[in-house]
Amino acid sequence: MRTVCVSLGERSYEIRVGSGLLARLGEWCRDLGVSRRCAVITDERVAGHYLGRVMGSLEGAGLEPVAVTVPAGEGSKRWQVVHRCHDALAAARLERRSLVVALGGGVVGDLAGFVAATYLRGVPFVQVPTTLLAQVDSSVGGKVGINLGAGKNLVGAFYQPRLVVADLDTLGTLPEREYRAGLAEVIKYGAIADGSFFGRLEGVMGGLLSRDAGVLEEVVARCCEIKAQVVSEDEVEGGRREILNFGHTIGHAWEAVAGYGRWLHGEAIAVGQVLEAELSCRVVGLAREVRDRLEGLLERAGLPTRVRWTGRRVERLLGAMRLDKKVRDGRIRFVLLRGLGCAEWGHVVEEGLVREVLGS
């Protein structure tokens, strides 16, 4: 097992990465000093694979868990599902020291974290991510929230978990398309923060695609180290943490315009990364060879890198981007690359150029 610390003073916590970790989840949760009564929020698909194992681990450690199951998919990140979860926690008589365990991918983590942040004005929660994307990205850093029709994650909070347990064995049941979508976030970390790691990914992509356990442990832990360092420096995205949004300004807009669930998050940000790398070439002088390496690695991961958009669709994308959380005074801002491992945030790009790149 590899352990990564997110250093945030009294809100610091560990990310534990390895195989066979679900069996120890109960004892680790108990050691957090929480009440015996707790809740596991998961989705219908994950429940069939891992809920019994998690409930057994918690019960074996002397805890009294109740299961709350929601529909699988992005559609669960909405107010109606939040209210259902709140009602379930109240019916189970959870208290302020009661624990919420988020068992699932990014949707469950965002939803359960938001439920924990808002129930009784905040109860402790633990992230147990079961997808590659959640293990390397959404489970770490304390961003929790739900979607609105106007855009993704427009309602939410910064609310840190008490612990993250990334059991690599759970990736064995992940569908191929979802697994490959997670590789988009993995590749992003090399692009924005560690050029050597990007080169390492080029060398081990075959092992990643075959889900080699040793390669996965190394790569997942390194991604978590990068994110932990960034979050420790800038918890609430007032500056450097914005680099984690590389590819997301366009990617989130495409998710909203296409309709949530039609494209997976990783697929949308793969396209977003290529287009924002193209903007980087035109605005800050990123070498085209770097842009091409990025596109090539995303393609090797089996991810889409180009979409042909009509003029009308481009205008809808721009409209969605104007609702991005990084917009200032109505101006769309981007994370751009100057080189591999060298990302800059806060770049305002003229809409005419954005239109041109989207339509290319």
Side-chain angles (χ1 to χ4, degrees):
M1 181 180 73
R2 302 194 187 203
T3 301
V4 177
C5 182
V6 182
S7 300
L8 292 169
E10 62 182 15
R11 294 184 309 288
S12 297
Y13 56 94
E14 290 185 346
I15 307 161
R16 295 171 186 168
V17 180
S19 298
L21 304 189
L22 291 187
R24 303 184 63 186
L25 178 64
E27 63 178 275
W28 289 337
C29 289
R30 181 194 60 207
D31 292 346
L32 294 174
V34 296
S35 301
R36 292 179 66 184
R37 190 173 296 124
C38 60
V40 179
I41 298 179
T42 189
D43 69 36
E44 295 164 344
R45 186 168 58 188
V46 174
H49 293 295
Y50 303 112
L51 180 58
R53 200 179 310 177
V54 166
M55 297 287 279
S57 180
L58 294 168
E59 290 166 354
L63 301 177
E64 300 172 357
V66 60
V68 181
T69 305
V70 302
E74 196 76 29
S76 282
K77 285 176 59 174
R78 54 193 175 98
W79 282 115
Q80 295 92 325
V81 179
V82 172
H83 293 161
R84 280 176 45 203
C85 291
H86 283 157
D87 287 342
L89 301 193
R93 303 190 308 282
L94 263 67
E95 306 162 352
R96 279 191 170 169
R97 288 179 56 245
S98 296
L99 182 70
V100 170
V101 176
L103 173 65
V107 168
V108 167
D110 287 355
L111 169 70
F114 185 69
V115 168
T118 50
Y119 182 72
L120 298 180
R121 297 189 177 93
V123 297
F125 86 110
V126 166
Q127 290 271 21
V128 185
T130 60
T131 67
L132 180 59
L133 190 148
Q135 289 183 0
V136 302
D137 188 64
S138 60
S139 68
V140 180
K143 276 188 177 182
V144 299
I146 58 174
N147 302 331
L148 298 180
K152 189 167 182 175
N153 298 327
L154 293 183
V155 176
F158 290 96
Y159 192 69
Q160 300 295 340
R162 296 286 300 279
L163 174 69
V164 179
V165 178
D167 190 334
L168 300 174
D169 291 347
T170 62
L171 301 182
T173 56
L174 193 63
E176 185 68 15
R177 182 185 174 197
E178 290 191 31
Y179 179 80
R180 288 175 182 263
L183 292 173
E185 291 285 2
V186 171
I187 291 166
K188 179 198 75 176
Y189 284 112
I192 65 171
D194 188 343
S196 296
F197 180 55
F198 187 94
R200 175 67 175 153
L201 292 174
E202 290 176 312
V204 301
M205 182 53 66
L208 279 175
L209 290 172
S210 66
R211 310 192 196 193
D212 178 274
V215 173
L216 271 171
E217 185 170 316
E218 171 200 348
V219 166
V220 171
R222 180 57 187 142
C223 291
C224 290
E225 286 172 352
I226 293 171
K227 185 158 189 181
Q229 180 182 8
V230 172
V231 170
S232 296
E233 294 175 10
D234 177 19
E235 182 180 4
V236 296
E237 205 170 60
R240 186 168 184 250
R241 184 168 177 166
E242 285 193 18
I243 69 171
L244 298 173
N245 291 306
F246 175 64
H248 288 59
T249 301
I250 293 174
H252 276 173
W254 178 228
E255 284 184 271
V257 169
Y260 293 123
R262 294 186 181 180
W263 280 57
L264 297 180
H265 173 70
E267 294 169 340
I269 69 156
V271 173
Q273 286 182 69
V274 172
L275 290 170
E276 291 178 27
E278 178 64 28
L279 286 174
S280 301
C281 293
R282 303 192 188 196
V283 176
V284 297
L286 175 70
R288 192 152 295 278
E289 177 262 341
V290 172
R291 193 215 75 95
D292 292 344
R293 282 178 68 189
L294 175 61
E295 183 174 16
L297 189 55
L298 290 164
E299 288 177 345
R300 284 181 59 200
L303 290 162
T305 57
R306 296 172 185 263
V307 179
R308 188 173 296 279
W309 288 310
T310 63
R312 182 179 178 185
R313 185 60 62 89
V314 167
E315 293 307 314
R316 289 185 63 196
L317 282 165
L318 282 167
M321 279 185 255
R322 294 185 190 107
L323 292 169
D324 187 88
K325 296 179 291 297
K326 299 179 293 302
V327 165
R328 297 288 185 276
D329 298 321
R331 305 188 76 185
I332 303 167
R333 303 189 311 155
F334 288 87
V335 176
L336 300 180
L337 300 180
R338 281 198 183 272
L340 274 180
C342 183
E344 299 176 346
W345 66 92
H347 280 279
V348 175
V349 179
E350 294 302 321
E351 285 195 8
L353 179 56
V354 178
R355 244 186 226 98
E356 181 182 331
V357 168
L358 289 175
S360 62

